[in-house]
Amino acid sequence: MMNLRDCFPSLCSSGETRYNKDKILQGQGVDEPLSATGFKQADAAGLFLSNVKFTHVFSSDLLRAKQTAATIIGKNKFCKDLEIKYDARLRERKYGVAEGRPLTDLKAMAKAAGEQCPAFTPSGGETLDEVRERAKDFFEFLCQLAVEVEQKEREMHGAASRSSGTSEEQSVFPWTNHCSQPGLSSDNGGTSKILDANILVVSHGAYMRNWIGYFVSDLKCTLPENLTKSQLSSVSPNTGVSHFIIELQSGSRLEPEIRCVCLNQDSHLVDVGAECVAQKVF
């Protein structure tokens, strides 16, 4: 089997809307824009990621995610003009009749049904398994994308030139300054090696929690040593960033090996103010 070079997806949840602040469920049916605080959060995330040279950007097609993605890329040193591709598979979990209602209503519905959040599915909503299937489908698409990029590079430049190639401008990953494990091995103090696919994905809190759950339970993702169970099961704060390293092999099927470098990182919000680090309401 041929080893493929690493794929680096960075997952970022959308910024705050007024519904987040008021603890009202949005799901898919309430398509609110970012609040003033949400734009500040997106600006801060953009500065945090400004030295990362992304090769691809994908976003949920809901407005709050689209605005977050555009703000982040607008502050990037390398890829201000990179096309953002919108994908309905990245939408927040659908909450059916609970959308547009306070989170307390969802909890009351769950209690009346003898269930607990987040496992409870309100009428017209998506089950956790359905959300996970969307996440799995999109992740398999990303893996195939990385394979195709690698194949095109081989055709254009050849394996030898790729392995020895250099770039005048190197993107810098901020993870090592904030996370328990180093993000990338390099010979240049945190600067990146040339990548096949370095992907920014902007989505939503409940969706991302399900995606990460799929990584851990189904694909045996390696986690940072100091990560607690409560941190693993928590919803990302607005514009929280998670970063993964994925090593792919090609053959009859893709066999990804996944390592989580950091989960729900929000250090970029420290200078924005305490109000901007509030937990997300989906």
Side-chain angles (χ1 to χ4, degrees):
M1 301 183 76
M2 176 182 65
N3 289 323
L4 296 178
R5 303 180 74 182
D6 296 339
C7 168
F8 300 86
S10 299
L11 279 59
C12 181
S13 59
S14 63
E16 183 199 82
T17 69
R18 66 186 177 97
Y19 274 47
N20 287 139
K21 187 175 182 180
D22 295 336
K23 297 187 181 343
I24 295 174
L25 285 168
Q26 296 168 101
Q28 298 181 12
V30 178
D31 201 13
E32 278 284 299
L34 295 180
S35 64
T37 294
F39 277 110
K40 290 178 182 178
Q41 293 168 336
D43 282 340
L47 290 173
F48 181 65
L49 299 171
S50 62
N51 289 318
V52 181
K53 191 173 185 179
F54 294 109
T55 58
H56 305 79
V57 181
F58 294 94
S59 169
S60 158
D61 60 354
L62 296 176
L63 181 58
R64 57 193 184 274
K66 292 167 70 172
Q67 290 178 326
T68 302
T71 302
I72 290 173
I73 290 304
K75 291 190 172 297
N76 195 276
K77 177 181 177 182
F78 300 104
C79 46
K80 292 185 190 303
D81 298 323
L82 189 62
E83 179 186 4
I84 301 172
K85 297 183 179 179
Y86 304 110
D87 198 306
R89 289 174 293 185
L90 295 173
R91 287 180 181 178
E92 180 58 288
R93 182 184 179 188
K94 185 177 180 181
Y95 285 94
V97 296
E99 291 180 348
R101 297 170 64 174
L103 179 60
T104 52
D105 284 7
L106 178 66
K107 292 179 178 179
M109 292 178 195
K111 184 177 180 180
E115 299 181 37
Q116 292 185 343
C117 295
F120 172 70
T121 303
S123 177
E126 283 183 295
T127 66
L128 294 181
D129 285 343
E130 288 172 332
V131 178
R132 183 167 295 200
E133 279 302 309
R134 279 201 286 128
K136 178 181 177 182
D137 185 58
F138 185 78
F139 175 66
E140 290 176 350
F141 158 74
L142 288 188
C143 288
Q144 189 58 47
L145 174 67
V147 171
E148 292 172 358
V149 169
E150 190 270 347
Q151 290 171 342
K152 289 179 181 178
E153 286 293 322
R154 283 181 175 273
E155 292 172 2
M156 292 177 61
H157 305 297
S161 63
R162 289 181 70 251
S163 61
S164 61
T166 58
S167 173
E168 291 182 3
E169 290 185 307
Q170 295 289 322
S171 62
V172 178
F173 290 79
W175 327 116
T176 52
N177 294 329
H178 305 281
C179 305
S180 62
Q181 294 184 347
L184 298 170
S185 59
S186 69
D187 298 324
N188 204 12
T191 58
S192 75
K193 56 187 177 182
I194 298 174
L195 307 174
D196 278 326
N198 186 23
I199 303 166
L200 174 65
V201 177
V202 179
S203 185
H204 309 271
Y207 177 90
M208 286 171 52
R209 178 169 58 186
N210 277 268
W211 190 354
I212 292 165
Y214 164 64
F215 276 5
V216 174
S217 63
D218 292 22
L219 300 181
K220 311 306 179 187
C221 172
T222 301
L223 298 169
E225 293 179 0
N226 65 347
L227 192 70
T228 66
K229 287 185 178 180
S230 62
Q231 288 174 318
L232 181 61
S233 61
S234 65
V235 175
S236 172
N238 291 110
T239 68
V241 178
S242 298
H243 183 66
F244 298 86
I245 296 175
I246 300 172
E247 296 180 0
L248 296 170
Q249 293 179 326
S250 65
S252 57
R253 61 190 179 94
L254 293 175
E255 298 179 347
E257 294 183 7
I258 306 175
R259 179 162 67 92
C260 176
V261 177
C262 60
L263 190 69
N264 298 336
Q265 171 63 238
D266 62 5
S267 63
H268 53 285
L269 299 177
V270 171
D271 294 333
V272 180
E275 63 180 13
C276 295
V277 196
Q279 286 293 316
K280 186 179 182 67
V281 177
F282 348 115

PDB file of all heavy atoms in Angstrom, residues 47 51-52 56 71 82 106 152 157 166 183 208 228 253 263 270 276:
ATOM      1  N   LEU A  47      -7.524  36.027  12.858  1.00  0.00           N
ATOM      2  CA  LEU A  47      -6.162  36.416  13.232  1.00  0.00           C
ATOM      3  C   LEU A  47      -5.377  35.205  13.738  1.00  0.00           C
ATOM      4  O   LEU A  47      -4.193  35.042  13.444  1.00  0.00           O
ATOM      5  CB  LEU A  47      -6.203  37.512  14.292  1.00  0.00           C
ATOM      6  CG  LEU A  47      -6.684  38.883  13.813  1.00  0.00           C
ATOM      7  CD1 LEU A  47      -6.849  39.830  14.994  1.00  0.00           C
ATOM      8  CD2 LEU A  47      -5.700  39.470  12.795  1.00  0.00           C
ATOM      9  N   ASN A  51      -1.840  32.831   9.654  1.00  0.00           N
ATOM     10  CA  ASN A  51      -0.593  32.339   9.064  1.00  0.00           C
ATOM     11  C   ASN A  51      -0.663  30.890   8.617  1.00  0.00           C
ATOM     12  O   ASN A  51       0.359  30.273   8.327  1.00  0.00           O
ATOM     13  CB  ASN A  51       0.555  32.499  10.063  1.00  0.00           C
ATOM     14  CG  ASN A  51       0.938  33.946  10.245  1.00  0.00           C
ATOM     15  OD1 ASN A  51       1.014  34.703   9.285  1.00  0.00           O
ATOM     16  ND2 ASN A  51       1.159  34.362  11.478  1.00  0.00           N
ATOM     17  N   VAL A  52      -1.871  30.341   8.578  1.00  0.00           N
ATOM     18  CA  VAL A  52      -2.056  28.966   8.101  1.00  0.00           C
ATOM     19  C   VAL A  52      -2.453  29.012   6.630  1.00  0.00           C
ATOM     20  O   VAL A  52      -3.442  29.640   6.265  1.00  0.00           O
ATOM     21  CB  VAL A  52      -3.134  28.232   8.916  1.00  0.00           C
ATOM     22  CG1 VAL A  52      -3.292  26.803   8.409  1.00  0.00           C
ATOM     23  CG2 VAL A  52      -2.781  28.229  10.398  1.00  0.00           C
ATOM     24  N   HIS A  56      -7.909  24.355   0.966  1.00  0.00           N
ATOM     25  CA  HIS A  56      -9.342  24.246   0.700  1.00  0.00           C
ATOM     26  C   HIS A  56     -10.108  24.823   1.889  1.00  0.00           C
ATOM     27  O   HIS A  56      -9.664  24.706   3.028  1.00  0.00           O
ATOM     28  CB  HIS A  56      -9.775  22.783   0.519  1.00  0.00           C
ATOM     29  CG  HIS A  56      -9.020  22.039  -0.545  1.00  0.00           C
ATOM     30  ND1 HIS A  56      -7.749  21.529  -0.341  1.00  0.00           N
ATOM     31  CD2 HIS A  56      -9.362  21.706  -1.820  1.00  0.00           C
ATOM     32  CE1 HIS A  56      -7.342  20.925  -1.443  1.00  0.00           C
ATOM     33  NE2 HIS A  56      -8.295  21.018  -2.345  1.00  0.00           N
ATOM     34  N   THR A  71     -15.087  35.743   7.074  1.00  0.00           N
ATOM     35  CA  THR A  71     -14.290  36.621   7.934  1.00  0.00           C
ATOM     36  C   THR A  71     -12.922  36.018   8.208  1.00  0.00           C
ATOM     37  O   THR A  71     -11.898  36.715   8.169  1.00  0.00           O
ATOM     38  CB  THR A  71     -15.033  36.876   9.261  1.00  0.00           C
ATOM     39  OG1 THR A  71     -16.312  37.462   8.979  1.00  0.00           O
ATOM     40  CG2 THR A  71     -14.242  37.820  10.151  1.00  0.00           C
ATOM     41  N   LEU A  82      -9.141  32.559  -1.761  1.00  0.00           N
ATOM     42  CA  LEU A  82      -9.484  31.148  -1.892  1.00  0.00           C
ATOM     43  C   LEU A  82     -11.006  30.972  -1.866  1.00  0.00           C
ATOM     44  O   LEU A  82     -11.694  31.554  -1.027  1.00  0.00           O
ATOM     45  CB  LEU A  82      -8.852  30.361  -0.739  1.00  0.00           C
ATOM     46  CG  LEU A  82      -8.915  28.832  -0.805  1.00  0.00           C
ATOM     47  CD1 LEU A  82      -8.169  28.316  -2.025  1.00  0.00           C
ATOM     48  CD2 LEU A  82      -8.317  28.235   0.469  1.00  0.00           C
ATOM     49  N   LEU A 106     -36.497  22.285  24.816  1.00  0.00           N
ATOM     50  CA  LEU A 106     -35.972  21.004  24.342  1.00  0.00           C
ATOM     51  C   LEU A 106     -35.731  20.063  25.520  1.00  0.00           C
ATOM     52  O   LEU A 106     -36.064  18.870  25.460  1.00  0.00           O
ATOM     53  CB  LEU A 106     -34.673  21.216  23.563  1.00  0.00           C
ATOM     54  CG  LEU A 106     -33.986  19.936  23.060  1.00  0.00           C
ATOM     55  CD1 LEU A 106     -34.849  19.237  22.021  1.00  0.00           C
ATOM     56  CD2 LEU A 106     -32.609  20.260  22.484  1.00  0.00           C
ATOM     57  N   LYS A 152      -2.678  14.333  -8.425  1.00  0.00           N
ATOM     58  CA  LYS A 152      -2.416  15.426  -9.365  1.00  0.00           C
ATOM     59  C   LYS A 152      -1.005  15.977  -9.183  1.00  0.00           C
ATOM     60  O   LYS A 152      -0.321  16.309 -10.150  1.00  0.00           O
ATOM     61  CB  LYS A 152      -3.446  16.542  -9.176  1.00  0.00           C
ATOM     62  CG  LYS A 152      -4.837  16.178  -9.664  1.00  0.00           C
ATOM     63  CD  LYS A 152      -5.818  17.318  -9.434  1.00  0.00           C
ATOM     64  CE  LYS A 152      -7.220  16.946  -9.903  1.00  0.00           C
ATOM     65  NZ  LYS A 152      -8.191  18.038  -9.637  1.00  0.00           N
ATOM     66  N   HIS A 157       4.463  17.133 -10.897  1.00  0.00           N
ATOM     67  CA  HIS A 157       5.819  17.402 -10.429  1.00  0.00           C
ATOM     68  C   HIS A 157       6.671  16.165 -10.194  1.00  0.00           C
ATOM     69  O   HIS A 157       7.886  16.266 -10.134  1.00  0.00           O
ATOM     70  CB  HIS A 157       5.772  18.215  -9.129  1.00  0.00           C
ATOM     71  CG  HIS A 157       4.982  19.479  -9.253  1.00  0.00           C
ATOM     72  ND1 HIS A 157       5.343  20.502 -10.104  1.00  0.00           N
ATOM     73  CD2 HIS A 157       3.834  19.877  -8.646  1.00  0.00           C
ATOM     74  CE1 HIS A 157       4.442  21.478 -10.010  1.00  0.00           C
ATOM     75  NE2 HIS A 157       3.528  21.124  -9.135  1.00  0.00           N
ATOM     76  N   THR A 166      10.445  23.293  -1.774  1.00  0.00           N
ATOM     77  CA  THR A 166      10.368  24.312  -0.736  1.00  0.00           C
ATOM     78  C   THR A 166       9.487  25.446  -1.232  1.00  0.00           C
ATOM     79  O   THR A 166       9.218  25.575  -2.413  1.00  0.00           O
ATOM     80  CB  THR A 166      11.765  24.870  -0.400  1.00  0.00           C
ATOM     81  OG1 THR A 166      12.353  25.405  -1.600  1.00  0.00           O
ATOM     82  CG2 THR A 166      12.652  23.775   0.169  1.00  0.00           C
ATOM     83  N   GLY A 183       1.726  20.325  17.217  1.00  0.00           N
ATOM     84  CA  GLY A 183       0.835  20.113  16.090  1.00  0.00           C
ATOM     85  C   GLY A 183       1.493  19.450  14.914  1.00  0.00           C
ATOM     86  O   GLY A 183       0.955  18.541  14.312  1.00  0.00           O
ATOM     87  N   MET A 208     -20.331  19.267  14.987  1.00  0.00           N
ATOM     88  CA  MET A 208     -18.916  18.973  15.211  1.00  0.00           C
ATOM     89  C   MET A 208     -18.733  17.961  16.335  1.00  0.00           C
ATOM     90  O   MET A 208     -17.857  17.094  16.275  1.00  0.00           O
ATOM     91  CB  MET A 208     -18.156  20.262  15.502  1.00  0.00           C
ATOM     92  CG  MET A 208     -17.940  21.120  14.261  1.00  0.00           C
ATOM     93  SD  MET A 208     -17.273  22.769  14.629  1.00  0.00           S
ATOM     94  CE  MET A 208     -15.865  22.380  15.632  1.00  0.00           C
ATOM     95  N   THR A 228     -10.035  15.530  29.007  1.00  0.00           N
ATOM     96  CA  THR A 228     -10.969  14.826  29.881  1.00  0.00           C
ATOM     97  C   THR A 228     -12.210  14.383  29.104  1.00  0.00           C
ATOM     98  O   THR A 228     -12.489  14.877  28.005  1.00  0.00           O
ATOM     99  CB  THR A 228     -11.407  15.732  31.040  1.00  0.00           C
ATOM    100  OG1 THR A 228     -12.176  16.834  30.511  1.00  0.00           O
ATOM    101  CG2 THR A 228     -10.200  16.266  31.798  1.00  0.00           C
ATOM    102  N   ARG A 253      -9.214   0.412  -0.227  1.00  0.00           N
ATOM    103  CA  ARG A 253     -10.051   1.350   0.524  1.00  0.00           C
ATOM    104  C   ARG A 253      -9.144   2.289   1.301  1.00  0.00           C
ATOM    105  O   ARG A 253      -7.982   1.991   1.553  1.00  0.00           O
ATOM    106  CB  ARG A 253     -10.987   0.610   1.475  1.00  0.00           C
ATOM    107  CG  ARG A 253     -10.273  -0.218   2.519  1.00  0.00           C
ATOM    108  CD  ARG A 253     -11.241  -1.114   3.273  1.00  0.00           C
ATOM    109  NE  ARG A 253     -10.559  -1.929   4.262  1.00  0.00           N
ATOM    110  CZ  ARG A 253     -10.406  -1.600   5.539  1.00  0.00           C
ATOM    111  NH1 ARG A 253     -10.864  -0.438   5.963  1.00  0.00           N
ATOM    112  NH2 ARG A 253      -9.804  -2.389   6.389  1.00  0.00           N
ATOM    113  N   LEU A 263      -8.494  20.431  20.734  1.00  0.00           N
ATOM    114  CA  LEU A 263      -9.945  20.299  20.650  1.00  0.00           C
ATOM    115  C   LEU A 263     -10.619  21.534  21.251  1.00  0.00           C
ATOM    116  O   LEU A 263     -10.309  21.949  22.371  1.00  0.00           O
ATOM    117  CB  LEU A 263     -10.389  19.049  21.413  1.00  0.00           C
ATOM    118  CG  LEU A 263     -11.851  18.629  21.242  1.00  0.00           C
ATOM    119  CD1 LEU A 263     -12.097  18.118  19.820  1.00  0.00           C
ATOM    120  CD2 LEU A 263     -12.201  17.538  22.252  1.00  0.00           C
ATOM    121  N   VAL A 270      -9.346  35.331  24.134  1.00  0.00           N
ATOM    122  CA  VAL A 270      -8.980  35.915  25.425  1.00  0.00           C
ATOM    123  C   VAL A 270      -8.989  37.436  25.375  1.00  0.00           C
ATOM    124  O   VAL A 270      -9.509  38.105  26.270  1.00  0.00           O
ATOM    125  CB  VAL A 270      -7.603  35.401  25.881  1.00  0.00           C
ATOM    126  CG1 VAL A 270      -7.120  36.174  27.100  1.00  0.00           C
ATOM    127  CG2 VAL A 270      -7.677  33.915  26.211  1.00  0.00           C
ATOM    128  N   CYS A 276     -17.226  36.806  24.838  1.00  0.00           N
ATOM    129  CA  CYS A 276     -17.040  36.118  23.572  1.00  0.00           C
ATOM    130  C   CYS A 276     -16.650  34.654  23.744  1.00  0.00           C
ATOM    131  O   CYS A 276     -16.525  33.932  22.762  1.00  0.00           O
ATOM    132  CB  CYS A 276     -15.973  36.824  22.736  1.00  0.00           C
ATOM    133  SG  CYS A 276     -16.468  38.481  22.243  1.00  0.00           S
TER     134      CYS A 276
END
